[in-house]
Every structure is written in C-alpha cells, then in structure tokens.
C-alpha cells in the first residue's frame, strides 16, 4: 500500500488550488497539489476578460470601493449569496490583485490622457487622470456600477495562472501531475486525505493529510454544450458528495454565458460587450435596449442570456444548421483595439469560424458557463459537516455568487478564496495532528480497488461514453436556461434510470493502466449523481432567482425561498440524493433584499426585509459620524484573517 | 454537400508503453467528416465509437491551454483548432510530439519538461523585496507600453511545438530551446525582475543556452501563438555576447 503523507493536500492545480498551497507553504506546512495535467493547463487559463477588484484608478472606475463592489456582487447574486463571504471577498480583492502584480502579472495599466472608447454603440473620448498613469487599469463588465475588471489583454487567466504556478515552483511546492482523486478518506466526520489514481500507471495511492482542499473547478461538462474545458467534470465535488457526510450547496444554480460561438461553445469574453460590442438579431437590429433600456448588453449574464433566448423564441434568431443564434458585433471597436485587447477572440474566430471579427459578426448564443454550486463550506472554506475538508474556487459553494455570478468575479474568487481559505487551512494544520489508522486508509483503498476490478472484469454492460452523452443531453434539454416543472420531473426520472445503468458499466479495453475508457467509467457514475443533484434541486426550487429561471414560477420568492439548497447522498444505494435547506438570515444582512433593477420587479418579499431595512436606518441615524468602514462594522461585522484586515489605498482618496 | 460527407482517413501512431509486448505501429481509422470538424472532434469520435483505448490530450479545446500539440501531417501544431477541412485529400497522419517522454499514442509528458524548464530559468520575479510588499497601498506604477510588451512575450502556452520543431534540441538533449528563451526574455524585459545581465548569462550563456541555437527557426515557423522567437533569440544572443 503506497501512502504519501503531507500536511495540506490540494486536489486541483488551478488558481484556487495553487493559491491555497502557497498560503499553507508560506506558513511552513508541506503542501502537495494533485492535478489531472500540468497545472498551467488548468481551466483557469481560459479566463479571458479579467478580474474584478475595486482599485478605482481608471477614470470610469473613479469613486469605486469595496462598498460598491459589495453591492454589485450581492445584487448580482440575486440576494442568494452569503453576505459575510461577499464582504471578505471585496475587501481582499484589491490586495490579491496587487500581490499578483508583485508576483509578475503584467496587468494592463492606465495611460494618462485622452483615449477613444465605444460606449453604448458610440465612440466617445475619455480622459484618464495624469496622476493615475501606470496604475492598474480596468474595463467595463456586466452588472457593475464602475469599470472594475482588471485585465491583461484578453489573456487574464493565462497571465494569472502562469504567475501563480511560477510562484509555486519558486516555493518548491510539488505538483503531482496526471493524478486523479477518486475518493476521500474519512472517518467519524473527519477527512484524512484521498485515494488517488495515477492516470498513467493506474496505480492507486493513498494521500494522507491533515487538511484536504477540493479545488477542482466547476461541473459544466454535465451539459452537452459548455464553454468549460473538457476536464471541468465536477469530480472533486462528486467525491465530496460520495462521502455521504459532506454537503453540496446550491447545485441547481448554473450560469449560462451569453456569447459562446456556435456551434462549438467556445467562449468569447464578456470584455467584447464591456469594450462596446453589441448584440444583433437576424435583421441586424440591436434588440437589448428594448428589453433592458438601462443596462442593455451589460445587464447581468443571466439576464442577457435569457433575453437572447426570449428574442430567438420570437423568431428573431439567425437560422443555421445548428439551430438559431444571434450576432455579436465587435466591428465597431476597430482593428487596433481588437488585435490588442481581444486577440484571443480574434484567433478563435479565425480558427474555428474562418471569419475576421474586425469585419464580420460573430455567431453566438447562450451556453453553459459556470457552476455557482459546489462543496458547501463555511466562511473559512471548511465543510460544516466533514472536518478537515476544505474547498475553494468554482468547486466550492463558499457562496459569494449566490444564484448568479458577475463576470470578473470568478478568477477574482479563485485567488481571494485561495488566500483566505489558505490561511484557515494553515490554521487547521497548526492546531490538528494527523490521527488516522492505516486500516482505515486500507479500507478505502481496497474499496476503490474493488470497484475498478468490477469494471475490468464485467463481461457485458453499459458503455460509459454513451451514458455520459445521454446525461448531457438530458441536462441541456431539460435543466437549461429556462426551466419548468414538467421537464424537470422528466429529467429527474430519466437521470434515476441512468444512475441505475451506471452501476453496470463494462469496458471494451480491459487494462488497469493508462486507459481513457476506464477513466470515463470511473467518472461517469459520479457525474450522473451530480446531475441528479442539479436537476432535483431545480425541480424543488419553485421560484426564479439569478440563473435559476422557472417559467412556471417567474417571481423571486424571498418569503419561501430565501434559503440555500443543501444536498447529501448518504446511502449509495439510494436513487436520489437528500435535499434540505438552510435559511439566509435577513436580520443579519448588510444589504437587505431589494430589486436588481431588471424588468418588472415581481419579488415576493420576506417578512423580515422591511424590519431589517428599518433597523439599518436606525443604526445609520444613531451613528451619524460613522465612516463607511465603521458603518460596515456596525451592520455586518466579519471575521477575516489578520493579514487581510488593512484598509485599501486608492488614488485621490487614500485609505478612506 | 457531398464534400461534407467525405470519409477522412486518420493514420495514427499507436503504442502503449504500459502494456507489455506492445509495439509501435500506425493504425488507420475512417471518420465521416462533419461541418466544422476539428481534429479534437474527430479523435473523440474515434475513441467513443471505434477504439476506446486511444490516448490523446485535450483540455480547453480552444487553443488556449496548449495540451494538444501533436505532429499533424509532418508539422507540430495544436490539434484542437485544426479544422479537418484544411486537408484536401482527407488523409491525416498524427504522431506524438518528438522530444518528450511518451505516455502513450499521441499523449506526451510536456509537464515534466516544462516544470524543469521553469526551474532552470527560475521563471519568477527576482526581487528581494517582493515578499515584503504592502498590498494595502497603491501598487508600483509601471509603464503601460512595457506591460503590453511583456504580455506579448508571455503568451506562450507551453504546447511544446517549438521543441518538436527544433533540430538542435534533437541533437543536444540539454539544449534549453525556444520555450525557455522566450520565458527568459519575458523576465529580462520585466523591470520588476532585478536580475543582472551576468545572472542571466549564468543561465543561458553557453551552448545549451542561446549560443547553441543554430538559427534553423523551426520554433518561429511552428509556434501556434506566433511568438517572435527569432527576434528574442537574436536579442538575447546579442546581449549575452556583450558579457565577459
């Protein structure tokens, strides 16, 4: 039995995982990162548009601060987020971006003086302040009051990930590549590491650790068309579910991005619209102002995606052999801007569509993009039910995104969560000793060996590729951008059957070492379980909130549904997970539920909302001299690791 | 429409070093072409419907992550964004990238090589004060043009195509080669990196470094990201020649 011991085990080598590893190592704890492939190939690299942080250096970011970022994030989440976490996040984001700058990210910088930009379809000249010259600049993104999305061209994720991995290499943090965690080792509510399969040799290895962090990204590949990398299959989240002890949160919250190219679903960044690109229909008509006169193309992603779908349903889509689509027009930005700031987009258009976006429109439609749900954690990043298990990044439901994530808040979360959760992981390593018997480890290792042996010896059975395709189709057709009770019920029933069939997978290629069919056979049953969590959660949530849009329940119903969905799978033989809920406490909210400002506000309000609004008014009146920091402390005191407590400096306003 | 339904012939290198007695060989698979088909789509089709043991690597399938470098009809390139329509006769030969440890079939271990490369060129900001930066205060100001230039050099995705297209690398296993030079050029340009010319010389000032390059420029010809290898190698060579 091959056992590897460490203090901090991190499953996943993207931005979040690497940052947690760095945090633990900085505090003197040995960290090992497991990765399916070289860390620099992680899906983090695909983030194009940028990272939100309220630096407020560019002129259109003037007046930005943590409070504005907080309000945007909470509104964006449709009040589904954990406001404590959103607070920790917005306060730490400026530090994160500045740290990354010191670590080598070539953030695009403010150039003082006049420059031409496209706003609302028109060329305008804006003048950057002289004193801001050389500071980190930002672009516009949907759902934000200020230009807050910091970037390097449209390769932001790439530059961030390279700087992060290089930092990890400098710190001599080992990344064990081509290794897949297939089960967690746990006993009596404590996680002790993971059973890991070497994807080349097929060997099973037990990694035993004081703290285990899941940072494996999202579960976009449950859907047949997704902007996600092919490895974003949610396996980390699934092995947490399979413990029967850890809970997952808000799995039904799945975001669709408005502008993925047709048919392959590769993303063109929100920066296209942020920089002034427009959405057009088959008549070349700009339709978004009709639906959202205020925010137009730059409404929240969930809103734009739904409006596009609505418009196509009215027969205004461009017909193609792959179904209808709309146009993204960035021609008005001009060649120079596109070649400099939207260069990946240009390459993607050239290679996959054979078009030049400087002259031609890009065919786009909404496509699965982001998983707001994941391993439920406390604000510290630790599972509330399985001690020693942490999670960060898209794999987690740390819950700063609630039911809809704003563009630019995802790569920001990976790094900020990595910093904050990393500190708590280090705290955990400091205060706990490793206490696990080898027989427990052996039990889990044998169990997984047994499962693999079954797969390799079964003579007849199901084809894992086939099962996966069926699952992806069910999710796309019935658990998509608009949802309804009837389809969701069908999806839940059909997935139940798939789950049963997934217990009888048989392989054609029966070798235990490098074998892509075996990899699929191990993953697919886990993915089907996750799909069941998504579909079942969506069926039960009879309201519309953020990206979860029920045609049969169009109102956001705070009265009955201001709660987080939790799910466990206690009995492996059961054909459905168990779902329960935790209330979001309105009386503790810094920002009580209100309108997001899109369309008609048809919110069914929570009885506490008015009470809390009045209470906040009272607090404000009673403390007329409190500045915004003191006010935040009064309204929503939060825990935050000591080293991230400092106020953030901004040009022209110091630390205020 | 007949062209859309043509039959493509994929001649694929097969060898699984994990399997005892397995011998390297070429196997031909036939795939019905679909509109917009890429090699990524075709290989997945083969694996799902014909041979589930076929090994290859794809991650982003959008030309961003660099995982799918392979030799396509004689030249290294990214398979994910290579459209099958590009090949007029419908014959496509796929080989793993040479110069890397073979994992199996079309899959090679670029990760091991690239990590060693990063360690060798110490591919991080060298600044003794970097860890003492106060992140609460305004960041260090940088010239916007310099930052844009750094990004131009940082766009490498470590796909390994340059290594596979480099004859010097084939003859001289310890040759750092284009990917390493580009990385170093990126840090050389970065004012945050405080290394001196002499320190850079220690890393690349010999035949395994820039002086070993024979200027065959396969790196420049085959770089899928069109990085300016030729210019950077010439620049570094000139800079290094002025030392000592």
């Amino acid at each position: 039995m091959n056992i590897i011991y460490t203090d901090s085990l991190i499953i996943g080598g993207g931005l979040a995982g690497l940052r947690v590893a760095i945090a633990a190592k900085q505090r003197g704890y040995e960290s090992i990162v497991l990765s399916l492939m070289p860390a620099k190939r992680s899906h983090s690299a695909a983030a194009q548009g940028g990272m939100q942080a309220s630096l407020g250096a560019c002129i259109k970011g003037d007046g930005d601060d943590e409070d504005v970022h907080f309000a945007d994030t909470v509104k964006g989440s449709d009040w589904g987020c954990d406001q404590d976490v959103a607070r920790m996040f917005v306060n730490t984001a400026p530090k994160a971006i500045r740290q990354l700058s010191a670590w080598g990210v070539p953030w695009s910088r403010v150039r003082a003086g006049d420059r031409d930009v496209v706003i609302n379809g028109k060329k305008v000249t804006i003048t950057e302040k002289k004193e801001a010259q050389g500071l980190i600049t930002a672009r516009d993104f949907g759902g934000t009051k200020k230009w807050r999305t910091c970037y390097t061209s449209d390769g932001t994720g790439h530059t961030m990930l390279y700087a992060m991995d290089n930092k990890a290499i400098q710190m001599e943090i080992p990344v064990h590549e081509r290794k897949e965690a297939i089960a967690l080792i746990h006993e009596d509510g404590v996680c002790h590491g993971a059973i890991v399969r070497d994807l080349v040799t097929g060997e099973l290895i037990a990694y035993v650790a004081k703290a285990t962090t899941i940072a494996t990204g999202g579960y976009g590949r449950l859907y047949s068309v997704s902007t996600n990398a092919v490895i974003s299959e949610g396996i980390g989240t699934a092995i947490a579910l399979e413990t029967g002890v850890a809970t997952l949160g808000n799995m039904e919250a799945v975001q669709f991005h408005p502008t993925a190219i047709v048919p392959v679903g590769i993303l063109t960044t929100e920066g296209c619209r942020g920089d002034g690109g427009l959405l057009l229909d088959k008549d070349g008509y700009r339709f978004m102002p009709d639906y959202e006169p205020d925010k137009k193309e730059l409404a929240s992603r969930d809103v734009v995606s739904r409006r596009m779908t609505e418009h196509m349903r009215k027969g205004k889509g461009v017909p193609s052999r792959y179904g209808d689509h709309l146009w993204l027009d960035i021609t008005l930005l001009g060649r120079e801007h596109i070649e400099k700031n939207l260069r990946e987009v240009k390459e993607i258009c050239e290679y996959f569509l054979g078009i030049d976006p400087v002259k031609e429109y890009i065919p786009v439609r909404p496509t699965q993009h982001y998983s707001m749900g994941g391993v439920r954690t406390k604000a510290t990043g630790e599972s509330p039910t399985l001690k020693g298990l942490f999670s960060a990044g898209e794999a987690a439901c740390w819950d700063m995104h609630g039911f809809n994530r704003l563009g630019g808040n995802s790569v920001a979360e990976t790094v900020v969560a990595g910093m904050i959760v990393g500190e708590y992981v280090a705290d955990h390593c400091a205060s706990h000793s490793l206490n696990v018997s080898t027989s427990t480890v052996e039990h889990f290792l044998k169990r997984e060996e047994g499962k693999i042996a079954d797969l390799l010896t079964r003579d007849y059975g199901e084809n894992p590729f086939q099962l996966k395709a069926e699952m992806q189709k069910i999710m796309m057709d019935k658990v998509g951008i608009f949802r309804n009770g009837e389809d969701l019920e069908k999806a839940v029933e059909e997935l139940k059957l798939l789950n049963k069939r997934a217990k009888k997978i048989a392989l054609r290629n029966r070798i235990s070492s490098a074998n892509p069919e075996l990899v699929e056979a191990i993953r697919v049953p886990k993915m089907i379980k996750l799909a069941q969590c998504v579909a079942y959660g969506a069926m039960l949530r009879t309201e519309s909130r953020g990206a979860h849009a029920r045609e049969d329940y169009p109102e956001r119903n705070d009265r009955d549904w201001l709660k987080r969905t939790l799910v466990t799978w206690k009995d492996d033989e059961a054909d459905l997970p168990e779902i329960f809920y935790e209330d979001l406490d309105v009386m503790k909210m810094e920002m009580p539920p209100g309108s997001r400002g899109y369309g008609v506000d048809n919110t069914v309000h929570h009885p506490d909302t008015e009470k809390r609004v009045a209470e906040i008014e009272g607090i404000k009146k009673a403390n007329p001299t409190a500045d915004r920091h003191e006010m935040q402390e009064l309204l929503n005191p939060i825990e935050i690791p000591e080293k991230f407590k400092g106020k953030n400096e901004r040009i022209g306003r110091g630390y205020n | 429409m007949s062209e859309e339904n043509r039959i493509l012939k994929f001649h694929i290198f097969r060898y699984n070093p994990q399997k005892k007695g397995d011998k390297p060989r070429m196997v031909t698979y036939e795939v019905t072409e679909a509109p917009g088909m890429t090699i990524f789509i075709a290989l997945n089709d083969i694996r799902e419907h014909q041979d589930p043991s076929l090994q290859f690597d794809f991650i982003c399938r959008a030309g961003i992550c660099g995982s799918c470098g392979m030799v396509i009809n004689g030249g290294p390139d990214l398979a994910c964004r290579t459209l099958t329509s590009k090949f007029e006769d419908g014959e496509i030969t796929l080989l793993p990238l040479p110069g890397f440890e073979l994992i199996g079939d079309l899959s090679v271990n670029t990760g091991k090589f690239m990590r060693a490369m990063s360690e060798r060129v110490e591919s991080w900001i060298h600044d003794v004060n970097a860890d003492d930066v106060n992140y609460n205060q305004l960041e260090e100001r940088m010239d916007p043009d310099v930052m844009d230039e750094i990004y131009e050099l940082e766009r490498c995705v470590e796909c390994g195509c340059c290594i596979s297209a480099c004859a010097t690398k084939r003859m001289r296993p310890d040759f750092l080669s284009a990917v390493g030079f580009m990385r170093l050029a990126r840090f050389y340009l970065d004012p945050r990196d405080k290394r001196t010319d002499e320190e850079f010389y220690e890393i690349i000032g010999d035949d395994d470094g820039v002086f070993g390059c024979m200027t065959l420029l396969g790196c420049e010809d085959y770089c899928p990201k069109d990085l300016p290898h030729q210019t950077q190698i010439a620049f570094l060579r000139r800079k290094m020649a002025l030392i000592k």
Side-chain angles (χ1 to χ4, degrees):
Chain A
M1 183 165 62
N2 188 356
I3 304 183
I4 293 173
Y5 294 91
T6 186
D7 294 316
S8 162
L9 174 68
I10 292 104
I11 305 169
L15 279 168
L18 290 170
R19 189 60 186 83
V20 169
I22 289 168
K25 186 78 196 261
Q26 278 175 332
R27 297 259 304 268
Y29 300 101
E30 285 308 313
S31 300
I32 294 177
V33 177
L34 301 175
S35 186
L36 294 174
M37 66 281 136
K40 286 190 174 91
R41 308 229 189 281
S42 302
H43 187 45
S44 302
Q48 297 169 353
M51 160 171 176
Q52 280 203 45
S54 58
L55 299 180
C58 69
I59 191 73
K60 288 285 188 178
D62 203 24
D64 200 11
D65 58 30
E66 298 87 352
D67 292 358
V68 189
H69 191 184
F70 175 78
D72 285 344
T73 302
V74 174
K75 265 190 206 169
S77 82
D78 222 353
W79 277 271
C81 74
D82 181 330
Q83 295 195 8
D84 291 2
V85 169
R87 250 301 158 194
M88 294 166 98
F89 163 72
V90 297
N91 287 9
T92 310
K95 302 177 209 307
I97 212 154
R98 286 169 172 165
Q99 184 172 61
L100 283 168
S101 180
W103 289 358
V105 175
W107 297 112
S108 296
R109 302 285 171 144
V110 177
R111 197 175 266 114
D114 289 353
R115 65 182 178 118
D116 290 335
V117 294
V118 176
I119 297 174
N120 194 18
K122 289 187 193 79
K123 274 219 164 87
V124 289
T125 304
I126 57 176
T127 310
E128 297 289 357
K129 283 189 238 170
K130 215 162 115 194
E131 60 269 32
Q133 168 76 18
L135 294 175
I136 296 170
T137 191
R139 59 165 38 132
D140 200 7
F141 254 39
T144 67
K145 269 223 166 71
K146 302 282 178 185
W147 291 21
R148 188 187 299 128
T149 304
C150 307
Y151 62 96
T152 40
S153 180
D154 62 346
T156 314
H158 173 93
T159 58
M160 290 171 71
L161 182 63
Y162 272 54
M164 192 71 83
D165 191 45
N166 286 334
K167 186 74 189 170
I169 293 171
Q170 181 191 0
M171 294 177 72
E172 298 177 0
I173 293 170
V175 179
H176 293 194
E177 293 173 8
R178 295 187 186 258
K179 301 274 192 297
E180 178 162 28
I182 57 171
L184 291 175
I185 302 164
H186 64 100
E187 192 174 41
D188 302 329
V190 181
C191 181
H192 297 295
I195 302 297
V196 173
R197 183 167 176 273
D198 184 311
L199 294 172
V200 179
T201 64
E203 184 192 9
L204 292 191
I205 308 160
Y207 282 75
V208 175
K210 291 178 179 178
T212 304
T213 303
I214 290 177
T216 49
Y219 44 87
R221 287 283 158 180
L222 299 182
Y223 288 81
S224 54
V225 188
S226 168
T227 64
N228 287 191
V230 296
I231 51 169
S232 299
E233 299 190 307
I235 302 304
T237 309
I239 61 175
L241 179 71
E242 285 187 330
T243 61
V245 184
T247 54
L248 310 185
N250 288 346
M251 291 296 285
E252 67 270 36
V254 176
Q255 182 179 75
F256 284 70
H257 194 291
T259 60
I261 64 169
V262 178
V264 283
I266 295 170
L267 184 71
T268 61
T269 171
E270 185 160 330
C272 291
R273 280 169 293 131
D275 291 0
L278 304 176
L279 290 168
L280 307 178
D281 67 13
K282 67 171 183 181
D283 306 317
Y285 175 72
R286 184 186 175 198
F287 57 91
M288 275 309 292
D290 295 352
Y291 295 95
E292 299 296 337
D294 219 19
K295 309 272 175 70
K296 306 178 184 78
E297 279 85 357
L298 288 171
S300 266
R301 279 179 184 174
D302 59 323
V303 176
V304 178
S305 293
R306 281 196 296 274
R307 295 309 198 184
M308 289 168 74
T309 307
E310 268 180 77
H311 199 62
M312 285 192 281
R313 283 180 176 182
K314 288 181 187 162
K316 294 293 183 183
V318 184
S320 84
R321 69 177 117 215
Y322 309 103
D324 287 359
H325 65 76
L326 293 160
W327 298 116
L328 172 64
D329 171 15
I330 60 170
T331 60
L332 66 170
L333 305 182
R335 179 175 300 278
E336 199 189 339
H337 180 93
I338 293 170
E339 284 181 352
K340 185 160 161 245
N341 290 314
L342 298 168
R343 172 177 194 150
E344 291 292 335
V345 170
K346 186 162 185 283
E347 273 190 25
I348 285 165
C349 288
E350 286 166 352
Y351 280 96
F352 291 92
L353 300 169
I355 64 161
D356 178 3
V358 173
K359 297 187 199 130
E360 291 165 275
Y361 298 161
I362 309 167
V364 294
R365 74 173 157 228
T367 301
Q368 193 289 336
H369 181 60
Y370 189 81
S371 320
M372 272 76 72
V375 179
R376 176 65 191 140
T377 73
K378 301 184 276 191
T380 58
E382 191 177 17
S383 163
T385 47
L386 187 55
K387 283 195 187 107
L389 179 70
F390 292 80
S391 185
E394 192 176 348
C397 179
W398 192 37
D399 217 5
M400 54 168 279
H401 305 305
F403 275 74
N404 174 60
R405 168 180 74 78
L406 294 182
N409 260 354
S410 167
V411 276
E413 182 195 16
T414 61
V415 180
V416 173
M419 289 162 80
I420 293 172
V421 174
E423 290 305 316
Y424 290 115
V425 164
D427 288 349
H428 182 90
C429 290
S431 59
H432 290 75
S433 51
L434 191 56
N435 191 5
V436 56
S437 72
T438 46
S439 62
T440 303
V441 177
E442 203 174 345
H443 160 76
F444 280 92
L445 198 77
K446 285 261 152 64
R447 190 188 76 184
E448 295 306 310
E449 266 173 7
K451 284 188 203 168
I452 290 170
D454 283 350
L455 287 170
L456 293 171
T457 52
R458 194 174 287 129
D459 283 329
Y460 301 101
E462 297 283 347
N463 174 337
F465 296 108
Q466 174 74 29
L467 290 175
K468 184 168 159 185
E470 288 184 37
M471 170 199 70
Q472 288 173 328
K473 187 164 186 334
I474 295 170
M475 295 301 284
M476 206 74 205
D477 293 348
K478 304 193 173 87
V479 200
I481 192 162
F482 279 108
R483 299 163 172 186
N484 64 68
E486 197 182 327
D487 281 344
L488 290 169
E489 276 170 38
K490 273 189 212 152
V492 169
E493 285 311 308
E494 288 168 11
L495 289 168
K496 259 189 211 171
L497 288 176
L498 279 191
N499 178 329
K500 269 200 192 110
R501 287 169 58 195
K503 291 179 173 145
K504 297 190 197 87
I505 290 175
L507 304 182
R508 289 164 286 169
N509 177 34
R510 298 196 204 169
I511 59 167
S512 65
S513 61
N515 176 357
E517 193 186 21
L518 176 57
V519 171
E520 204 78 344
I522 293 171
R523 289 181 190 169
V524 167
K526 298 184 191 326
M527 292 175 76
I528 291 173
K529 283 184 190 159
L530 286 188
Q532 289 183 275
C533 295
V534 177
Y536 191 35
M539 185 186 95
L540 296 179
R541 183 173 282 270
T542 48
E543 66 151 356
S544 292
R545 184 180 298 274
H548 173 68
R550 286 284 299 255
E551 290 167 301
D552 42 356
Y553 296 94
E555 71 287 352
R556 186 184 90 203
N557 184 345
D558 289 350
R559 185 190 62 209
D560 303 317
W561 284 107
L562 201 56
K563 40 182 92 175
R564 186 171 296 117
T565 310
L566 295 178
V567 49
T568 59
W569 203 306
K570 288 204 178 77
D571 175 10
D572 199 44
E573 292 307 307
D575 61 4
L576 264 186
E578 290 172 41
I579 285 194
F580 45 106
Y581 298 93
E582 64 178 326
D583 288 330
L584 302 183
D585 188 351
V586 179
M587 296 309 290
K588 286 194 176 147
M589 286 185 186
E590 183 176 343
M591 196 171 146
S595 164
R596 281 174 88 195
Y598 298 120
V600 187
D601 180 20
N602 56 3
T603 306
V604 179
H605 281 286
H606 191 280
D608 284 351
T609 298
E610 251 181 76
K611 234 190 285 174
R612 179 62 177 161
V613 171
E615 191 176 66
I616 290 173
E617 279 309 307
I619 294 171
K620 282 185 176 163
K621 267 193 198 137
N623 298 279
T625 57
D627 67 13
R628 65 185 187 90
H629 302 283
E630 289 157 351
M631 187 49 63
Q632 187 240 309
E633 195 59 30
L634 287 166
L635 297 178
N636 185 29
I638 48 160
E639 292 274 321
I640 200 165
E642 194 57 42
K643 58 170 96 159
F644 307 131
K645 276 191 177 144
K647 292 178 186 173
N648 299 304
E649 189 188 8
R650 287 179 186 81
I651 186 164
R653 61 192 279 191
Y655 291 90
N656 294 315
Chain B
M1 298 296 274
S2 63
E3 210 182 317
E4 284 168 12
N5 295 323
R6 67 182 179 154
I7 305 289
L8 301 169
K9 280 194 178 152
F10 281 90
H11 312 289
I12 300 177
F13 173 86
R14 299 299 312 269
Y15 175 53
N16 182 356
Q18 299 291 325
K19 209 164 148 186
K20 265 196 187 145
D22 202 32
K23 293 248 162 56
R25 65 204 182 280
M26 296 300 289
V27 177
T28 298
Y29 302 88
E30 294 191 347
V31 177
T32 308
E33 190 170 33
M37 186 176 249
T38 58
I39 292 180
F40 162 73
I41 296 170
L43 285 177
N44 276 286
D45 192 90
I46 294 170
R47 180 148 86 188
E48 282 165 34
H49 299 112
Q50 299 184 47
D51 191 336
S53 68
L54 183 62
Q55 294 183 59
F56 50 78
D57 293 323
F58 288 97
I59 294 170
C60 76
R61 58 80 177 92
I64 288 166
C65 76
S67 66
C68 64
M70 57 184 75
V71 178
I72 304 166
N73 282 4
D77 205 348
L78 297 179
C80 71
R81 63 179 200 185
T82 302
L83 294 163
T84 55
S85 57
K86 184 175 149 187
F87 305 97
E88 272 176 22
D89 60 359
E91 304 265 342
I92 301 165
T93 302
L94 302 178
L95 295 159
L97 288 184
F100 298 97
E101 183 182 293
L102 182 75
I103 288 174
D105 302 335
L106 301 171
S107 173
V108 295
N109 197 340
T110 48
K112 191 171 162 185
F113 176 92
M114 294 300 173
R115 169 116 184 181
M117 179 275 290
S118 289
E119 286 167 355
R120 181 165 158 194
V121 306
E122 301 190 0
S123 119
W124 50 85
I125 298 285
H126 286 57
D127 177 1
V128 285
N129 301 317
D131 284 327
D132 300 322
V133 175
N134 176 357
Y135 302 118
N136 300 330
Q137 68 188 27
L138 288 186
E139 63 276 10
E140 191 187 341
R141 287 168 201 265
M142 315 276 296
D143 182 338
D145 295 324
V146 172
M147 296 312 257
D148 290 349
E149 281 173 51
I150 294 171
Y151 176 66
E152 284 304 300
L153 305 187
E154 185 161 311
R155 293 169 47 253
C156 169
V157 294
E158 299 194 348
C159 61
C161 288
C162 59
I163 303 279
S164 293
C166 177
T168 310
K169 173 73 190 162
R170 213 69 56 77
M171 291 184 289
R172 199 192 281 276
D174 290 332
F175 183 54
L176 181 60
S177 67
V179 62
F181 300 144
M182 186 55 67
R183 184 66 62 76
L184 212 64
R186 177 246 175 273
F187 284 98
Y188 191 89
L189 184 64
D190 197 323
R192 290 168 292 195
D193 195 316
K194 307 291 190 252
R195 276 180 279 189
T196 61
D197 283 2
E198 284 74 16
E199 285 170 297
F200 283 113
Y201 188 89
E202 286 303 313
I203 301 170
I204 53 163
D206 61 10
D207 282 356
D208 287 332
V210 277
F211 299 125
C213 170
M214 298 190 293
T215 329
L216 298 171
L217 298 176
C219 52
E220 174 109 0
D221 292 343
Y222 288 97
C223 175
K225 289 284 163 186
D226 297 322
L227 289 165
H229 292 291
Q230 183 179 359
T231 314
Q232 291 310 316
I233 292 170
F235 171 76
L236 288 173
R237 200 150 45 181
R238 196 175 154 79
K239 278 281 174 195
M240 293 300 110
L242 297 172
I243 313 268
K244 291 182 184 175

